[in-house]
Amino acid sequence: MGIEQVQVVIAGAGPVGSVAAAYLAQHGIKVLLCEQGNDAAQDLRASTFHAPTLEMLDQIGVTEKLIEIGLKAPVYHWRDRKSGEIFSFDLTEISDIARYPYRLQCEQYHLAKMLADRLEALDNATVLFEHRVVDVEQDETGVSVALEHMTGIKHVRCQYLIGADGANSIVRKWMGIDFDGFTYPEKFLCLSTEFPVESKIPDLALVNYISDSDEWLVLLRVPSLWRVLVPALEDETDEYLLSDEKKTKVFDGIVGDGAGIETQHRTIYRVHQRVAKQFRVGRVALIGDAAHLNNPLGGFGMNSGIHDAYNLCEKLVAVLKGEASEDVLDLYDRQRRTVTHAFTQQQTLANMEMMRAGQDEAHRQRVESMRALANDPEKRREFLMRQAMFSSLADAAAIV
Ligand SMILES: Cc1cc2nc3c(=O)[nH]c(=O)nc-3n(C[C@H](O)[C@H](O)[C@H](O)COP(=O)(O)OP(=O)(O)OC[C@H]3O[C@@H](n4cnc5c(N)ncnc54)[C@H](O)[C@@H]3O)c2cc1C
C-alpha cells in the first residue's frame, strides 16, 4: 500500500488543531487531522470565547452555532468577598470595536466536536481518531509522519506538519524545542454544580473573580452549570481535593450550605507558564498549548491558540498557493511568540498576582487598584481591550 500524501497534517483535534484544519480545508488545502483519542475530547477546561476569537470563528462559519449553544456574558465582575464591593467591567463599552461585545461562555469541546463533524463531510479533509503521532521526520521536500493506530502504524507524507497536540506535544519533542517556564506549586481544583448559585449571591455576573484577604476563587457560568475554580494548598492530597469534605468547605464559603451541594464534576489541574523556544522549525510549526501554556485567569489559553492557528494558516495558505515564500512562516514565529511573551504570559501572571495578593495591606492595595481601574473610563477601556485580547492581536500585526 502506498504512503498517503496530503498537503498538511495537523496533530491533535483539540479546539486549536480543529480550527487550523477547518481554516485550511476551507481554503482548498488537502488536510489530515489526526487525534489520539476516540472522539473530540469532552474537555471542560476552556469556557470563555473572547470577542476577536468569535470574529475569527465566524470566518469558518461556527460562531452563530456557538452563540446558540453558549451564554453571552457582556459583564464580568471582580468582587471583594468580605466587603461585597463589586467592580464591574462591561464589554459593551467597546462595542465600537467589538462585533461580539461579550465573552461567550461555552465549553471548548463543542467547538472541536462541531469542526470534526464538518471536516468529515469535506472531500479535501480527513479526520482520523485513535491515530497517535509517534514519529516525525522532515527533509527539504516534506515531512514524514508515523501514526500509531490499534492494529499498526500508518505512514503519511505531507508538505507541512502542524503540532496542535497540547501540553505534552510529541511534535515539539521530536523537534527538540525547549519548553521553558515553570509549573505552579499549587494545583487547581475545578468543581461544577447545577445548583443555582445566583440564588445565594446577589448581583452575580456570569463571570466572577472573587477574592478576600485569605482566599480567591473564580465562579463562572456555562450553559448548564456553575463552575468554581480554587487553588489547592500544597499539602492537600488529590484524594482530599476530590473528597466531599473539600467540596463542602469550598461551597460553605460560597453559598453557605456546602454539604447540600451536589457536584457534576471534580477535576484537578496542574497549571504551568511555559513558552516553546521556537514556534517553527523548517516545515513544522507549533500552535496552541503545544507552543505555550499559562494559568487560566483571564481565559487566554485556547483563545490565544486559535489566534496562533489563524495567523499561521493564513500564511501557510499563501505559501502552498505559491503566493508567498516560506520566509513568511518566520513571521508567524516572530508575531505569535512575541505576543505570547509580552501579553499572554505577562497578563496571566499579573492576573494571578492580583487574585492572590494576600492579606491586610496587600489586599487593601489590590482593592484600591481595582477601584482606580474601574472608575477611570480611559484606563477601563484599555483594560477591556487588553483582557478581550484585541490589543495583543494589534501588537502581533504590528510586527514585521
Ligand atoms: C481549568 C482551566 C480552565 C481554562 N479555561 C480557559 C478559558 O476559559 N479560555 C481559554 O481560552 N482557555 C482556557 N483554558 C486553557 C485551554 O483549555 C487550553 O489552552 C486549550 O485546551 C488548548 O487547546 P489545544 O487544542 O491547543 O490543546 P488541547 O485542548 O490539549 O488538545 C490537544 C489534542 O491533541 C491530542 N493529542 C495529544 N498528543 C497527540 C498525539 N501524539 N497524536 C495525536 N493527537 C494527540 C489530545 O488528545 C488533544 O485532543 C483553561 C485551562 C484550564 C486548565
Side-chain angles (χ1 to χ4, degrees):
M1 208 169 62
I3 293 176
E4 185 170 342
Q5 310 258 355
V6 294
Q7 286 176 289
V8 180
V9 170
I10 298 121
V16 174
S18 306
V19 165
Y23 182 99
L24 293 170
Q26 181 171 307
H27 287 81
I29 306 299
K30 190 173 180 200
V31 296
L32 169 67
L33 176 63
C34 54
E35 164 60 45
Q36 67 183 4
N38 61 5
D39 199 351
Q42 285 270 326
D43 200 318
L44 290 174
R45 279 177 294 163
S47 58
T48 288
F49 289 82
H50 287 297
T53 311
L54 292 171
E55 289 178 23
M56 290 176 185
L57 294 177
D58 190 40
Q59 292 174 40
I60 52 169
V62 286
T63 296
E64 287 311 313
K65 189 79 200 150
L66 287 173
I67 291 172
E68 267 173 44
I69 303 170
L71 297 170
K72 292 178 186 172
V75 173
Y76 54 96
H77 284 169
W78 191 89
R79 182 186 282 254
D80 181 339
R81 178 149 67 172
K82 293 231 167 94
S83 73
E85 189 170 5
I86 295 172
F87 302 109
S88 188
F89 296 93
D90 184 345
L91 286 153
T92 61
E93 285 182 31
I94 56 166
S95 49
D96 55 321
I97 303 286
R99 188 145 53 95
Y100 303 98
Y102 41 81
R103 292 168 69 144
L104 188 74
Q105 293 300 110
C106 177
E107 297 95 338
Q108 65 180 61
Y109 65 81
H110 289 295
L111 175 65
K113 177 88 184 95
M114 204 183 288
L115 290 173
D117 290 348
R118 286 179 181 212
L119 283 163
E120 277 173 335
L122 297 176
D123 289 341
N124 60 332
T126 307
V127 183
L128 293 177
F129 288 109
E130 297 185 311
H131 280 69
R132 186 164 71 98
V133 172
V134 287
D135 191 25
V136 175
E137 266 178 59
Q138 66 168 318
D139 55 44
E140 279 175 11
T141 61
V143 190
S144 299
V145 184
L147 303 175
E148 181 190 23
H149 55 94
M150 204 183 122
T151 54
I153 302 284
K154 180 182 175 72
H155 295 277
V156 185
R157 180 82 178 160
C158 57
Q159 287 170 264
Y160 294 94
L161 168 67
I162 299 178
D165 48 343
N168 289 314
S169 171
I170 196 169
V171 175
R172 188 186 66 238
K173 290 171 188 167
W174 272 117
M175 291 301 104
I177 299 173
D178 290 338
F179 204 31
D180 290 346
F182 68 91
T183 300
Y184 285 94
E186 69 269 46
K187 293 176 191 162
F188 293 78
L189 174 66
C190 192
L191 304 174
S192 69
T193 181
E194 286 172 357
F195 182 82
V197 175
E198 73 280 10
S199 66
K200 298 284 183 182
I201 304 179
D203 303 323
L204 198 60
L206 297 179
V207 177
N208 306 275
Y209 299 95
I210 302 175
S211 64
D212 59 32
S213 309
D214 307 317
E215 290 177 317
W216 63 265
L217 61 106
V218 183
L219 189 53
L220 299 168
R221 181 76 202 178
V222 287
S224 57
L225 300 162
W226 278 102
R227 293 174 61 188
V228 185
L229 181 74
V230 290
L233 302 176
E234 279 175 54
D235 58 357
E236 289 178 325
T237 63
D238 287 2
E239 193 187 3
Y240 172 71
L241 289 173
L242 299 174
S243 68
D244 281 348
E245 191 185 343
K246 176 71 182 179
K247 179 268 308 180
T248 298
K249 191 161 178 270
V250 170
F251 283 101
D252 274 348
I254 300 172
V255 297
D257 174 21
I261 299 292
E262 278 183 29
T263 54
Q264 274 58 50
H265 308 93
R266 300 180 191 183
T267 316
I268 299 168
Y269 294 101
R270 268 251 167 251
V271 177
H272 318 261
Q273 299 283 155
R274 293 186 185 276
V275 184
K277 269 261 166 60
Q278 289 163 275
F279 283 13
R280 179 221 168 182
V281 176
R283 293 173 171 274
V284 180
L286 301 176
I287 58 177
D289 276 15
H292 45 77
L293 296 171
N294 50 264
N295 75 57
L297 298 180
F300 299 140
M302 173 192 67
N303 282 274
S304 64
I306 293 172
H307 301 178
D308 296 340
Y310 266 77
N311 188 308
L312 173 68
C313 291
E314 203 179 10
K315 295 175 169 66
L316 209 46
V317 168
V319 173
L320 286 163
K321 293 193 170 171
E323 294 160 2
S325 85
E326 228 181 53
D327 293 348
V328 79
L329 302 180
D330 284 335
L331 183 58
Y332 161 69
D333 176 284
R334 278 203 302 284
Q335 291 180 327
R336 292 306 305 167
R337 203 155 47 82
T338 304
V339 297
T340 298
H341 281 290
F343 169 73
T344 323
Q345 294 292 310
Q346 293 307 321
Q347 191 63 58
T348 49
L349 287 166
N351 289 351
M352 181 69 99
E353 282 317 304
M354 184 56 108
M355 291 303 278
R356 64 178 181 192
Q359 298 193 320
D360 306 330
E361 181 53 19
H363 182 63
R364 197 195 60 72
Q365 281 180 14
R366 163 171 58 185
V367 172
E368 198 45 57
S369 74
M370 281 318 278
R371 193 178 291 125
L373 181 62
N375 292 336
D376 180 327
E378 220 170 283
K379 284 195 184 137
R380 195 173 62 234
R381 183 177 170 84
E382 198 264 330
F383 179 77
L384 286 166
M385 292 286 288
R386 200 154 23 95
Q387 297 284 349
M389 305 184 82
F390 281 108
S391 309
S392 63
L393 286 163
D395 291 348
I399 297 169
V400 289

